[in-house]
Amino acid sequence: MAPLFADDALLVLDKPSGLLAVPGRGADKQDALSTRVRHLYPDALIVHRLDMATSGLMLMARGPHVQRALNQCFADRKVSKRYEAVVSGRLAPPADACDGWSVIDLPISVDWPKRPLRIIDAARGQPSVTHWRVLSYDPVRRATRVLLAPVTGRSHQLRVHLQAIGHPILGDTLYAGAAARCQSSRLLLHACALQFAHPVTGAQLAFESPVPF
């Protein structure tokens, strides 16, 4: 799989929906973005992941030194990520939204009886914050297109947060009800923008991926 960007330190990829980020358990789950990339770049290492159903920008490091540096950038929240999604219903920002941005601040925990699913859990959940703003509303589809900026990076965070406020992502087979699930043949969630400082040169890098839906 050819990267959007490649140098001696890192790779930027555009993952399609339906492809695993890393191999899973079982012979049928060995085809993954990381596996394909390593055929071209044997030193490529995972820095972060996207859900199998999510498409868009992913970053890989070339070698453990750069991997550690990029992992620290993510841990220090020095990587800016943007996602675009289409959610069920009319989602309107509250009156106190700042410059159109609103916040979902709900702790997320593993739903142990149903893992790998996640749930909102005020007692045991990890702090989880998502900023969101409305892009447009489709009255025919009765769906809202939103821009999402996760502050934290919990598994399934965007999917769980949007479901929790009553607007699941269309096509979400894990968290949406039947009506929203059937409105799309894929999860309508795409990692559309990524911005960070190059771990070696310090230069600011910014990448965008066209939304395919």
Side-chain angles (χ1 to χ4, degrees), residues 72-152:
Q72 192 61 51
C73 286
F74 275 91
D76 293 340
R77 298 177 184 172
K78 294 180 178 178
V79 179
S80 173
K81 297 176 288 180
R82 296 289 184 272
Y83 294 73
E84 202 164 305
V86 180
V87 303
S88 177
R90 183 157 201 159
L91 178 56
D96 61 352
C98 181
D99 294 328
W101 286 96
S102 303
V103 180
I104 304 170
D105 185 355
L106 296 170
I108 294 174
S109 177
V110 176
D111 186 355
W112 288 107
K114 299 178 182 178
R115 57 187 183 276
L117 295 183
R118 265 62 179 174
I119 55 172
I120 302 300
D121 187 334
R124 293 171 294 180
Q126 293 179 297
S128 307
V129 178
T130 300
H131 293 177
W132 62 272
R133 68 181 302 170
V134 171
L135 296 176
S136 62
Y137 175 67
D138 183 345
V140 176
R141 204 177 193 180
R142 295 182 180 177
T144 305
R145 185 174 292 269
V146 294
L147 185 64
L148 304 164
V151 177
T152 51

